[in-house]
Amino acid sequence: MNKRRLGLLTGTHAVNDLYQGLVPALLPFMVLERGYSYTAVSGLMLAATGLSSVVQPLFGLYADRHPRSWLVPVGFLVAALGVVLAGMSQSYLMTWIAIALCGLGIAAYHPPATVAARAAGGASQKAMSVFSVGGTIGASFAPVLAATVVGGGGLSRSYLLGVPAVAMGVLWVTATARRGAVAAAAAAAAARKQAAGGVMKPHNDWRAFSLLVATIVGWSIPYVTVLSMLSLRITRDLHGTTFQGAAALTGFTAAGAVGVLLGGWLGDRIGRMGTIRSGYLLALPCLAGLVLSPTPGWALACTALLGMSMFLPFAAQVTLAQDYLPRNPATASGITLGLALSVGGLVSPLFGMLSDARGLGVTLTVVLCVLCVATVLALRLRNRAPVIPPVEAEAAAAA
């Protein structure tokens, strides 16, 4: 494990996902200052998330065919530029284009950065979990940063939001310039060795990968639904306070970060398949407990356990996807982290309509059934020996 390289990539992940979190964090200020309607706000979120999810696999394909380490800093710098321009723009059209630009930067960052983190971490599942939590930490700081910068002086001060990306860009250049030649030489030597020896990467297992994608889709739908309906469930159905609703949402997110780290630790000890199956099997009774909770207190406890359980498989699923497609690890990352995870958001309006018609209890029961299907699919997943491509491994070790 190259801890220095992994630490640098984790820092870039925190900065990149900071800008992913800044988009929804800035929307209330845009509504107040510019008078945007809810429809206009929905259009901006579509520009940020929908476009990013669709194009992320395309960036994965490009990164697999033409490995370029500069995509990592360019990704979070473009994301920062989009956020800054969105805050400084006066027209809705320019704001929409700027936020779409932010989504493109975020999409460009994730596939190559995830592959680089896997190479730096070697066979360790804990390494991937640390990298993943970096993004969670960055996103969690977004509301605070938005309130501090924009809340005190209006959207005209949005240019200050670019400071974290510029600082990380300087750090990236400083840290990589000194070792760039060494890493390039190591990669070239590994490529020559692989070509001379006739070494071929194992074949892509698209059938197994498709099963994994279906499993992640079945995970995404309950996750997004619980995230969007949790506060209402506690305040309206269980007659809890607004503080309890907010506490449940915070606890769900924080427990997810703990689950990612715990899942990486377990993956190195009991194996990633045991971690994946344990996460899904533990999540079922926790979600059932949330559906059947008679009081806000029980709902809070079940929510925390649900967040931890649902994120136990996260890091293991990322590395398993890359090992199912060893010839296209960046594409695997783009599909699993982009397209598959976004399905929950795409179908969320349908569950909103169901909640309006039948109530939140019925909606949560339906997503519990979806999670049951995902659990069955997870139990059918089979492990595959970790594949760290020699070029990436030797270059990461030298960097």
Side-chain angles (χ1 to χ4, degrees):
M1 183 189 300
N2 188 334
K3 293 183 178 180
R4 179 177 297 180
R5 177 74 168 172
L6 181 64
L8 178 63
L9 288 165
T10 301
T12 64
H13 198 190
V15 170
N16 183 78
D17 284 20
L18 168 69
Y19 292 101
Q20 190 171 23
L22 276 173
V23 172
L26 289 175
L27 291 180
F29 298 100
M30 292 181 178
V31 170
L32 291 174
E33 190 169 318
R34 301 175 182 174
Y36 288 162
S37 65
Y38 291 126
T39 302
V41 168
S42 300
L44 294 177
M45 282 303 297
L46 178 63
T49 58
L51 181 62
S52 177
S53 301
V54 171
V55 302
Q56 195 168 145
L58 300 180
F59 279 111
L61 284 170
Y62 175 77
D64 282 327
R65 294 179 180 179
H66 309 282
R68 296 290 185 268
S69 61
W70 51 260
L71 273 176
V72 174
V74 166
F76 64 75
L77 286 170
V78 169
L81 178 63
V83 167
V84 170
L85 291 177
M88 303 294 291
S89 300
Q90 297 301 317
S91 70
Y92 178 79
L93 176 60
M94 292 305 298
T95 301
W96 193 95
I97 292 174
I99 288 182
L101 181 66
C102 173
L104 287 175
I106 291 168
Y109 168 87
H110 276 114
T114 305
V115 173
R118 176 71 188 284
S124 173
Q125 303 300 308
K126 184 178 179 181
M128 183 57 70
S129 70
V130 170
F131 172 75
S132 301
V133 167
T136 303
I137 293 173
S140 67
F141 277 102
V144 177
L145 182 61
T148 302
V149 173
V150 177
L155 290 168
S156 62
R157 298 180 61 190
S158 295
Y159 64 91
L160 294 174
L161 297 174
V163 172
V166 173
M168 179 54 69
V170 172
L171 179 60
W172 174 273
V173 172
T174 303
T176 56
R178 294 175 298 178
R179 298 176 176 84
V182 177
R192 288 194 299 269
K193 185 191 304 181
Q194 181 170 307
V199 179
M200 299 294 292
K201 295 180 183 178
H203 69 281
N204 288 338
D205 191 343
W206 286 100
R207 178 177 295 181
F209 180 74
S210 299
L211 180 62
L212 176 60
V213 170
T215 304
I216 296 174
V217 168
W219 177 96
S220 171
I221 293 173
Y223 169 70
V224 173
T225 304
V226 170
L227 194 65
S228 58
M229 304 291 184
L230 181 58
S231 294
L232 294 174
R233 171 67 173 169
I234 290 178
T235 55
R236 291 185 180 181
D237 292 3
L238 303 180
H239 309 292
T241 64
T242 54
F243 174 79
Q244 288 174 320
L249 199 57
T250 302
F252 184 63
T253 305
V258 173
V260 172
L261 288 174
L262 181 59
W265 181 82
L266 286 174
D268 286 342
R269 282 156 180 78
I270 68 173
R272 58 184 173 188
M273 301 313 300
T275 304
I276 291 173
R277 291 163 183 161
S278 297
Y280 282 92
L281 289 172
L282 289 173
L284 284 177
C286 295
L287 182 54
L290 178 61
V291 173
L292 300 174
S293 291
T295 64
W298 277 104
L300 284 168
C302 292
T303 297
L305 292 173
L306 177 64
M308 184 185 69
S309 301
M310 289 194 74
F311 277 89
L312 280 179
F314 192 85
Q317 288 179 157
V318 173
T319 61
L320 185 62
Q322 293 175 342
D323 289 340
Y324 280 156
L325 303 184
R327 293 177 178 269
N328 303 95
T331 303
S333 300
I335 294 175
T336 54
L337 294 177
L339 199 58
L341 288 180
S342 68
V343 171
L346 295 176
V347 302
S348 59
L350 299 178
F351 287 100
M353 295 170 60
L354 178 62
S355 299
D356 288 335
R358 303 297 298 273
L360 293 176
V362 173
T363 299
L364 291 175
T365 301
V366 172
V367 298
L368 176 60
C369 296
V370 174
L371 186 59
C372 288
V373 174
T375 302
V376 172
L377 296 178
L379 294 176
R380 294 185 59 195
L381 293 173
R382 294 295 178 263
N383 197 18
R384 195 177 195 190
V387 179
I388 308 296
V391 173
E392 287 87 339
E394 295 192 26

